[in-house]
Amino acid sequence: MISFSDFSFTYASQSKPTLKHINLEIKDGEKVLIIGPSGSGKSTLGNAINGLIPHSMEGRTEGSLKVSGIETKDSDIFTISQKVGTVLQDTDAQFVGLSVAEDIAFSLENQMVSIDRMRKIVLDSATVVEMENFLRQAPGELSGGQKQRVSIAGVLVDDVDVLLFDEPLANLDPAAGRSAMRLIDEIHRKTGKIVVIIEHRLEDVLSYPVDRIVLIENGEVTLNTDTESLLRSNVLKKAGIREPLYISALKAAGCDISSYKGQLSPVEALDAAQFKEPLLSFLKEHERKAPSHDGEVIASLEDVSFSYDGEKDVLKHVSFALRKGEMVSLLGRNGAGKSTAASLLMGIIRPDSGRIMINGRDAVSDTIAERSRTVGFVMQNPNHMISHPMIYDEVAFALRQRGMDEKEVEERVLDALRLCGLEKHWKWPISALSYGQKKRVTIASILVLQPEILILDEPTAGQDWRHYTQLMSFIKRLNTELGLTIIFVTHDMHLALEYTDRAIVLTDGEVLRDGEIGTVFSDKALLEKASLRVTSLYELGEKIGLNEDGIASFIRTFITHEDGKAEDCGKISVDVPPLKENKKGKRRKGKDKEEKKFGFGLSYIDIESPIHSLNGVTKFLVFVMWLLITLITFDLRVLLVLLLISFGVMKASRIPMKRFLPLMCVMFTFMAVNAIFIYLFSPGQGAEAMGHRTVILGPESMSYALTLETVVYLVTVSMKYLAIFPMALMFVFATHPSEFASSLNRLHFSYKVSYSVALTLRYIPEITDDYMHIMHAQMARGVDISKGVSLMERIKSVSKVLAPLVLSSLDRIDIISNAMVLRGFGKNKKRTWYMARKMGKMDYISLAVVFLILLLAVVSRFVLGVKFFYPF
């Protein structure tokens, strides 16, 4: 049981309590939904249940909270984590393992469960969530729904009393969200555990029954009731929470649901026959016809294909047009190609084939800065775009990049802030703003560039209905008053239905449908193929006997626009000056397909090979000894043997050579620069080291005369680097980070230090992706890091990327830390490791061979006195 008794909590940084006198009981076996507007305190309530409050988040606690009989403030977070399993909102950041199996095993490792028993529990838990065939998969290879399943499996291994889900639908497409709710319901029915769901997407949660719904407003419990009573009332709209669409439709048609004796939720259980007449009557009186799409084409993709790796097409012969002044939804499940299509429009990437037309011309060779004259982009997370501490400077940034006069900048910025309802805050620091206000700042920072097309990536993600409608009514005004063409990259079906007349549906990189919104959402087969789902309006229309065309009309008619209050504002009138052309020319030419395929990946590659099969201890000790050998010896004969062994190991690893080539190019460049500097600063070092001087180029008396000894010395130094580098790459590419961490731990390094190393290696690729994503957004505002600008300008530009990257990384660290603590990390002095391996025969042979080479190098260098080998 969970029991709150007069419970209050005040964060250390705040003067007023976030939770106020909470009295609430959740009984064993109950499934309870906690709802409330943003800032109401519902997430704080969840953090109190799982022990993050007060044991990880500082503040003042009053009253009592007991979980399974434990008074949380008198206990510790590790004890509470044995009773409460938490699935956090951000499943990406919650992953701490490099594979599905590791992540599920994480809590068991912290409890020092033996490897054999751990593997059985992991398999059993993965089977419960239908992920037993994905145990070797990396997190990045999973869909949003699959990540959610892995997170659930990770808390099921502990056999906890309470399962707490903090906004489990936040990052899922509609089909995956429905699947997640089915899984949660199934687990609840099978295990009888307490299930607490914190979520504002009420309709999606109510796809499956809940025992009670608790409404929290301003830190207080204002309603604690059953689903049926809540839906019959008008409480939800007053609280700023979206009603299920079919409930709103019934109320709009004047249906008397308060006296209805049947079951209202879910929609499948509704007896719609008695509501048929008022619904059809309302439909006949207020029917909305499908709008036409025949305006002027402003941009289009024509037979566009694109691949990130040169092998698998992310987009396949995609064609669609955007018309001036329309609002369009780009729909599809995660990975369908929506973001790639948006990136092509922005000019961040170029198509492998096909054309991108902007205002009647082929714009494929434009720079990102040039494309930003027409296309603006607003990222999902405003913290990924913001790079200045003050609001005014943030919005003015792009204009200053273009060299606009400061007086014009001021007028332009204030106009944009007025349009966004932020003119009173123009002197404020960004840190003082709410999430929604930050979102408006990022929109203002793009509007000052006066684009003709505005792309918004998941604009309503993480926002409650009240803030959602305020933001969307504001965006709608931008569309009507400025004539902006607006594209929403989203899987929010409510957004698509309420605010757009047309949807482009992508699946597996292809356009599945491009059509009027009502028609799209009345095609059940289409939605299933695109991993979307029919709305409750579709199901209600079907229940009253409408055909597909009738349902399309029904959906159009009953979708209402819940406009939030929008501020009065003026129009932007100042013209933006043209882009400055760089003297060297910044326009991209050609379509070198390999330019974007030639990347610098530096992470573990999961394949089977003799090198991969070696123990992490072996690889670590071999690498250390290899470094010592190359540092000790200057004998070209030994270095040649080392080099041959290095390349032999590369071959044995079975890693494709193309993964090594970009890094080897960097290495050869470094070697060349190093050799030049050695020669420039110490041209006689070779002769001094070998005790004689043989000039082969230049006068004998000249200090910079090239000698044979210098050539041998430079070749020797280069060979030392060349012998080390392949082994260093092999260590990174062929050593599993978690297995390496277990190896360090077995070598008596602290397991906390060991795991920190593994976690660093685990997140390097994701931080790199964040960097690229943020860099592209900044380049779209005029940041230039091309070779056409000076080095100092490029350094300044990179700093504009690093600022938001640091902020996003700090957010990630905070989430990871909470996820690790909630699963018992740091409780015990020792831990076990799922990826631990025993030393095998080849491990001992490898160590013996390398140790023998090291011994020979030591004897040769220090006993026999052989330092350099001079073959001439």
Side-chain angles (χ1 to χ4, degrees):
M1 177 184 286
I2 300 172
S3 178
F4 289 87
S5 179
D6 198 32
F7 182 87
S8 298
F9 179 75
T10 306
Y11 285 101
S13 59
Q14 297 179 353
S15 58
K16 296 181 179 180
T18 300
L19 294 178
K20 309 166 189 174
H21 308 290
I22 302 293
N23 290 287
L24 174 67
E25 283 194 354
I26 301 175
K27 298 176 181 178
D28 292 343
E30 277 196 300
K31 182 183 179 186
V32 175
L33 170 63
I34 298 175
I35 59 175
S38 295
S40 63
K42 59 184 186 294
S43 291
T44 301
L45 189 81
N47 289 332
I49 292 172
N50 63 28
L52 285 175
I53 290 174
H55 301 293
S56 183
M57 300 176 177
E58 295 182 0
R60 186 176 74 256
T61 302
E62 300 173 78
S64 170
L65 167 56
K66 292 183 178 180
V67 177
S68 295
I70 298 171
E71 182 66 53
T72 58
K73 64 184 177 185
D74 297 331
S75 184
D76 60 77
I77 196 167
F78 302 114
T79 301
I80 299 169
S81 69
Q82 297 302 303
K83 302 294 182 182
V84 182
T86 306
V87 177
L88 300 177
Q89 174 182 342
D90 190 343
T91 50
D92 280 316
Q94 187 172 342
F95 262 98
V96 292
L98 197 72
S99 68
V100 167
E102 286 178 74
D103 201 74
I104 295 174
F106 184 74
S107 181
L108 301 173
E109 293 174 319
N110 298 325
Q111 296 171 46
M112 300 181 63
V113 175
S114 66
I115 293 177
D116 291 339
R117 182 164 171 258
M118 193 190 311
R119 286 177 178 165
K120 183 180 183 306
I121 297 173
V122 166
L123 180 59
D124 290 344
S125 298
T127 302
V128 170
V129 298
E130 300 173 359
M131 290 296 291
E132 67 273 17
N133 296 324
F134 297 86
L135 292 176
R136 287 177 61 90
Q137 296 289 98
E141 298 171 352
L142 303 178
S143 68
Q146 289 172 329
K147 290 175 183 176
Q148 190 75 267
R149 288 170 177 266
V150 174
S151 297
I152 294 171
V155 299
L156 285 178
V157 296
D158 287 330
D159 193 26
V160 292
D161 298 332
V162 180
L163 291 174
L164 173 65
F165 297 90
D166 185 6
E167 298 202 26
L169 305 178
N171 299 305
L172 302 183
D173 59 52
R178 182 68 176 260
S179 177
M181 295 316 303
R182 178 189 62 78
L183 178 61
I184 292 170
D185 183 68
E186 187 176 299
I187 290 171
H188 174 249
R189 286 187 288 104
K190 287 182 177 179
T191 65
K193 299 178 186 296
I194 293 175
V195 172
V196 179
I197 303 171
I198 300 171
E199 183 60 73
H200 61 258
R201 284 167 59 176
L202 181 63
E203 179 169 337
D204 293 320
V205 177
L206 294 183
S207 299
Y208 294 89
V210 298
D211 296 309
R212 276 190 296 143
I213 299 177
V214 176
L215 174 62
I216 298 194
E217 298 177 275
N218 298 317
E220 299 177 294
V221 175
T222 58
L223 191 67
N224 183 356
T225 188
D226 61 272
T227 303
E228 296 293 316
S229 299
L230 181 68
L231 294 181
R232 283 174 166 81
S233 72
N234 292 313
V235 169
L236 291 173
K237 284 194 173 184
K238 292 177 181 177
I241 298 168
R242 183 199 297 277
E243 288 181 323
L245 292 177
Y246 74 99
I247 295 294
S248 295
L250 290 171
K251 291 180 179 179
C255 300
D256 183 11
I257 63 174
S258 61
S259 60
Y260 170 63
K261 301 300 182 184
Q263 187 176 334
L264 277 175
S265 177
V267 65
E268 292 86 355
L270 179 72
D271 179 10
Q274 59 185 285
F275 302 128
K276 182 175 180 178
E277 186 177 334
L279 286 169
L280 292 178
S281 175
F282 185 92
L283 176 62
K284 184 178 180 180
E285 185 178 348
H286 299 89
E287 184 174 11
R288 292 171 59 193
K289 301 295 183 183
S292 60
H293 301 293
D294 54 3
E296 175 190 350
V297 173
I298 189 172
S300 62
L301 269 62
E302 298 181 359
D303 197 32
V304 167
S305 294
F306 177 80
S307 168
Y308 286 103
D309 58 10
E311 297 175 2
K312 182 181 178 182
D313 282 338
V314 178
L315 293 181
K316 308 166 191 174
H317 306 289
V318 168
S319 296
F320 61 80
L322 300 171
R323 295 173 178 83
K324 188 172 181 60
E326 70 176 341
M327 294 173 74
V328 180
S329 296
L330 199 55
L331 302 176
R333 67 172 178 266
N334 294 332
K338 304 188 300 295
S339 295
T340 301
S343 296
L344 285 163
L345 279 169
M346 287 184 289
I348 290 172
I349 54 178
R350 287 174 288 167
D352 296 334
S353 62
R355 298 195 304 172
I356 298 175
M357 305 297 292
I358 305 288
N359 285 325
R361 70 179 187 86
D362 189 345
V364 74
S365 62
D366 285 355
T367 65
I368 297 176
E370 287 170 332
R371 190 73 62 82
S372 70
R373 299 273 303 156
T374 308
V375 184
F377 174 60
V378 179
M379 298 176 73
Q380 175 180 334
N381 186 343
N383 293 328
H384 282 179
M385 288 187 69
I386 294 171
S387 57
H388 293 78
M390 304 301 291
I391 292 174
Y392 181 91
D393 293 331
E394 179 64 27
V395 179
F397 171 67
L399 298 178
R400 288 169 173 167
Q401 286 288 112
R402 293 187 173 188
M404 180 182 279
D405 179 77
E406 195 61 32
K407 184 178 179 181
E408 290 181 289
V409 168
E410 180 178 346
E411 184 177 350
R412 179 75 175 173
V413 168
L414 292 179
D415 277 348
L417 290 174
R418 189 176 302 113
L419 182 67
C420 297
L422 292 169
E423 72 278 11
K424 295 178 182 177
H425 310 309
W426 71 281
K427 291 185 178 180
W428 282 28
I430 296 287
S431 58
L433 300 182
S434 67
Y435 184 90
Q437 287 172 321
K438 287 181 182 178
K439 197 91 170 178
R440 291 193 177 213
V441 168
T442 59
I443 293 173
S445 70
I446 297 300
L447 289 180
V448 291
L449 297 174
Q450 203 174 21
E452 297 176 63
I453 301 170
L454 186 62
I455 301 173
L456 296 114
D457 185 15
E458 297 290 358
T460 56
Q463 298 195 58
D464 62 32
W465 181 64
R466 180 175 290 153
H467 291 93
Y468 168 106
T469 52
Q470 287 176 353
L471 176 64
M472 290 307 299
S473 62
F474 157 65
I475 292 171
K476 180 67 176 176
R477 289 190 63 202
L478 297 181
N479 169 253
T480 55
E481 294 189 14
L482 300 182
L484 277 174
T485 300
I486 297 179
I487 308 167
F488 300 107
V489 179
T490 184
H491 53 237
D492 185 341
M493 295 171 64
H494 288 150
L495 182 156
L497 283 164
E498 293 184 64
Y499 293 95
T500 64
D501 293 322
R502 176 176 159 230
I504 300 167
V505 182
L506 291 172
T507 184
D508 297 328
E510 297 178 300
V511 175
L512 195 60
R513 177 70 64 83
D514 179 355
E516 188 271 326
I517 198 76
T519 304
V520 168
F521 278 92
S522 62
D523 188 335
K524 191 172 185 178
L526 166 76
L527 296 176
E528 287 179 356
K529 190 173 181 180
S531 292
L532 301 173
R533 54 167 293 203
V534 296
T535 69
S536 59
L537 287 178
Y538 176 97
E539 294 173 296
L540 183 59
E542 191 175 48
K543 277 179 171 289
I544 61 174
L546 297 176
N547 60 20
E548 188 173 301
D549 289 339
I551 291 174
S553 179
F554 187 80
I555 290 172
R556 278 193 299 270
T557 301
F558 278 98
I559 282 294
T560 57
H561 296 264
E562 301 289 351
D563 293 328
K565 183 180 179 182
E567 297 82 354
D568 291 331
C569 51
K571 292 181 179 289
I572 298 177
S573 56
V574 180
D575 291 330
V576 180
L579 283 166
K580 294 179 179 178
E581 287 294 329
N582 189 279
K583 291 180 180 179
K584 296 182 180 180
K586 293 190 283 185
R587 184 175 293 277
R588 298 184 300 199
K589 296 181 179 180
K591 296 184 181 180
D592 183 5
K593 183 174 179 177
E594 292 306 313
E595 180 183 336
K596 61 178 177 298
K597 317 297 182 189
F598 200 58
F600 288 83
L602 191 60
S603 59
Y604 172 68
I605 300 171
D606 186 14
I607 57 176
E608 292 186 6
S609 79
I611 307 303
H612 286 73
S613 66
L614 292 174
N615 190 282
V617 171
T618 302
K619 284 180 273 195
F620 178 66
L621 293 178
V622 163
F623 183 57
V624 171
M625 288 191 288
W626 202 262
L627 283 174
L628 289 175
I629 295 167
T630 52
L631 289 172
I632 288 171
T633 187
F634 285 83
D635 193 322
L636 271 175
R637 295 166 297 183
V638 176
L639 291 172
L640 183 59
V641 171
L642 295 180
L643 186 60
L644 291 174
I645 293 174
S646 293
F647 282 96
V649 169
M650 287 175 63
K651 182 73 174 176
S653 73
R654 298 175 185 166
I655 296 171
M657 187 55 65
K658 67 179 182 180
R659 296 299 299 268
F660 292 104
L661 286 177
L663 297 159
M664 294 298 285
C665 289
V666 173
M667 182 61 194
F668 281 118
T669 302
F670 170 78
M671 286 166 48
V673 171
N674 183 64
I676 291 170
F677 273 94
I678 290 175
Y679 181 70
L680 288 175
F681 289 101
S682 186
Q685 190 165 339
E688 292 174 13
M690 297 175 199
H692 44 79
R693 186 170 185 262
T694 308
V695 176
I696 56 174
L697 186 65
E700 182 76 28
S701 59
M702 183 180 177
S703 60
Y704 278 99
L706 182 63
T707 65
L708 196 57
E709 290 80 3
T710 295
V711 172
V712 172
Y713 179 79
L714 294 178
V715 169
T716 300
V717 171
S718 297
M719 286 280 282
K720 287 166 76 71
Y721 288 119
L722 200 55
I724 292 173
F725 196 65
M727 295 298 278
L729 291 181
M730 287 308 311
F731 182 69
V732 174
F733 286 151
T735 305
H736 192 290
S738 298
E739 204 250 321
F740 176 53
S742 73
S743 303
L744 289 178
N745 192 209
R746 286 163 65 187
L747 291 172
H748 303 291
F749 286 85
S750 160
Y751 78 76
K752 293 181 181 179
V753 172
S754 302
Y755 209 89
S756 296
V757 173
L759 211 56
T760 300
L761 295 173
R762 150 82 173 87
Y763 276 101
I764 283 175
E766 293 192 19
I767 292 172
T768 302
D769 288 344
D770 281 350
Y771 173 81
M772 295 302 295
H773 201 33
I774 294 167
M775 180 181 70
H776 291 154
Q778 297 293 1
M779 289 172 71
R781 294 202 298 162
V783 170
D784 195 347
I785 57 173
S786 70
K787 294 179 181 179
V789 297
S790 67
L791 178 61
M792 285 305 299
E793 187 64 30
R794 269 188 280 171
I795 292 173
K796 289 179 182 178
S797 296
V798 168
S799 71
K800 304 303 180 186
V801 179
L802 292 179
L805 180 65
V806 169
L807 290 175
S808 66
S809 297
L810 290 175
D811 288 342
R812 188 191 296 273
I813 290 168
D814 192 43
I815 295 170
I816 294 169
S817 299
N818 287 339
M820 292 174 70
V821 169
L822 286 172
R823 295 169 71 185
F825 188 80
K827 178 184 178 182
N828 298 313
K829 292 183 179 180
K830 296 181 179 180
R831 80 193 300 267
T832 50
W833 300 83
Y834 183 85
M835 291 301 300
R837 289 180 182 175
K838 294 181 179 179
M839 298 282 283
K841 181 180 177 180
M842 287 307 299
D843 292 294
Y844 291 112
I845 292 174
S846 301
L847 287 170
V849 169
V850 178
F851 180 75
L852 183 60
I853 297 174
L854 174 60
L855 189 61
L856 291 173
V858 171
V859 170
S860 174
R861 175 74 174 83
F862 297 106
V863 177
L864 300 179
V866 178
K867 186 175 182 182
F868 286 96
F869 171 69
Y870 184 71
F872 303 103

